[in-house]
Every structure is written in structure tokens, then in C-alpha cells.
Amino acid sequence: DAGVIQSPRHEVTEMGQEVTLRCKPISGHDYLFWYRQTMMRGLELLIYFNNNVPIDDSGMPEDRFSAKMPNASFSTLKIQPSEPRDSAVYFCASSRGGRLGQPQHFGDGTRLSIL
Amino acid sequence: AQSVAQPEDQVNVAEGNPLTVKCTYSVSGNPYLFWYVQYPNRGLQFLLKYITGDNLVKGSYGFEAEFNKSQTSFHLKKPSALVSDSALYFCAVRGDTGRRALTFGSGTRLQVQP
């Protein structure tokens, strides 16, 4: 089975530009999570969805960040306008619904650099 | 609120020796505990989990973890370390309240020397 697929793997852009990160979860998974990883702050949960509906976006740092899940097989995380402090690795993860002990499966991340 | 502590930033062990990576947690209700491993430029990979039952849980690549309710710990262990086990290890927890979000620890870098 294909795992969680993220694109692009690397993104370098200038401050002020719009950035869109993409994620395709594992087929049949009901939950989708967006994380950010930095050396200073570790792994932070930004937002998660259940059946395409945002459940908890309390980790989204600012209004510059937005996430959507228009269907079960696609999600985007958008930063507009981007700032140098947004530089990080962004991970998408998905998991099955049902029993609470289902593990999350992670993509390989998007390494974002804002100049 | 739930939290995870990984008290060691780095653990060094010689190849062939046993290894332990420590994790303690705090959560309301019954804990669901997970260990993940991250290799360079890769996402986190699931290793093992504790939901209920036996306190010793076996997972991938020969790893196991011991759940200790009284000490609120979930230490990761392996009887004989390999150089290829060198990576970043994360412990994670969630409660049984239905909220799906995991809380991750800060990670422990395992370095296995040949």
C-alpha cells in the first residue's frame, strides 16, 4: 500500500510569498494531521481533520496559516504571507478511525525554507 | 492536559549492548502510548504501542517497551543494539477521551557505536 504522500519535498521561497503544501493520506484513513517540526520547538500539532472536517486547529500559529481538506484523498496547508520563522519541516499524517489505539502514519515531510 | 517527558536528549550505546530510551507521561484516564522512530530526512515511523493488556509490548525491529502504571513510564528497550538503530526516537501519548491528537515528547537521539 502507498503511504502518506507529501509534495513538494523541498520548498524554498522568499518572504511574503504564498506557500501551499499538499498531502495525500492513506486510502481508507479517516483522520488527517498536520505537524510542524523545528529544532527549537520539536514536533507541534497544527490541525487535524476527521472525515474531512477540521476538529482542532488550536495549534495553527496565526491567521497566516490555513488548512483545507476538500475530499478524503487530499489536504493542503497554506501560508500567506510566509515569513522566515515559518521555516521548518511540515509533516502530514493519517490514521484509521474506529478504535482509539490506531497509530498515525507519517509522510516524509516538506522541508520549507523562507528567505 | 497530557504531556510526555523524554529526559535524555541523547543516548549512546555500543553495538551489541542492550539499550533503553526513557519516557514518562501524564494523561487523564487510561493512556494510549506509542513509540516512533525518525531517520534523517524521513517521517516518523511507528514502532509499537501500548493500549491494554501485557505490560511488555513487542514491536518492529526487535524493539520492545515496558509499561509501568505506577511510575507512569513507557521505556523503549532492545536487548542488542545495532548501528542501524541510530536515529531519533519519539514517545507519544493520548488519553481515552476520544480526542485523536497525540502529544509527542521532545525526542531522544540514539547513537550506537560500532
Side-chain angles (χ1 to χ4, degrees):
Chain A
D1 286 340
V4 175
I5 299 172
Q6 293 187 244
S7 64
R9 288 296 314 276
H10 303 275
E11 175 87 14
V12 180
T13 192
E14 292 188 346
M15 180 175 65
Q17 297 298 306
E18 179 179 289
V19 174
T20 299
L21 311 181
R22 296 173 175 81
C23 175
K24 177 179 170 57
I26 294 172
S27 178
H29 282 193
D30 299 333
Y31 287 83
L32 184 138
F33 306 81
W34 282 100
Y35 291 90
R36 178 171 68 176
Q37 186 179 37
T38 61
M39 289 292 292
M40 291 294 292
R41 302 170 71 97
L43 197 63
E44 302 174 276
L45 176 69
L46 300 177
I47 185 172
Y48 77 97
F49 296 82
N50 177 214
N51 291 325
N52 313 336
V53 175
I55 303 300
D56 184 349
D57 65 354
S58 60
M60 295 286 263
E62 300 172 31
D63 291 344
R64 299 185 294 107
F65 286 69
S66 62
K68 294 182 179 179
M69 192 165 185
N71 57 62
S73 59
F74 184 66
S75 177
T76 60
L77 178 68
K78 189 172 292 187
I79 308 172
Q80 168 62 23
S82 58
E83 296 183 3
R85 59 193 168 122
D86 302 331
S87 298
V89 181
Y90 291 80
F91 289 103
C92 176
S94 69
S95 71
R96 292 185 187 279
R99 294 169 59 186
L100 296 179
Q102 297 292 342
Q104 295 178 19
H105 299 264
F106 283 73
D108 283 336
T110 296
R111 183 173 297 274
L112 178 63
S113 298
I114 308 297
L115 306 177
Chain B
Q2 54 198 37
S3 65
V4 175
Q6 293 183 242
E8 302 153 316
D9 289 337
Q10 180 156 325
V11 170
N12 297 308
V13 64
E15 187 174 31
N17 283 1
L19 69 87
T20 298
V21 182
K22 295 179 181 177
C23 170
T24 58
Y25 67 90
S26 174
V27 70
S28 298
N30 295 314
Y32 293 77
L33 294 153
F34 302 81
W35 274 102
Y36 286 82
V37 60
Q38 185 179 27
Y39 296 100
N41 300 315
R42 300 297 303 275
L44 279 68
Q45 296 178 33
F46 169 69
L47 273 181
L48 52 79
K49 66 181 180 182
Y50 172 83
I51 305 301
T52 186
D54 289 342
N55 290 342
L56 187 63
V57 177
K58 294 188 182 298
S60 306
Y61 312 121
F63 284 93
E64 57 192 26
E66 187 170 12
F67 171 67
N68 187 315
K69 187 173 183 178
S70 63
Q71 297 185 5
T72 61
S73 67
F74 189 55
H75 301 332
L76 182 69
K77 301 183 179 185
K78 187 173 182 181
S80 178
L82 299 173
V83 172
S84 57
D85 293 330
S86 299
L88 190 57
Y89 290 80
F90 290 92
C91 181
V93 69
R94 55 161 300 188
D96 59 358
T97 60
R99 185 171 182 264
R100 293 285 169 160
L102 290 175
T103 297
F104 284 86
S106 55
T108 298
R109 186 164 300 282
L110 175 66
Q111 195 70 38
V112 182
Q113 285 112 10

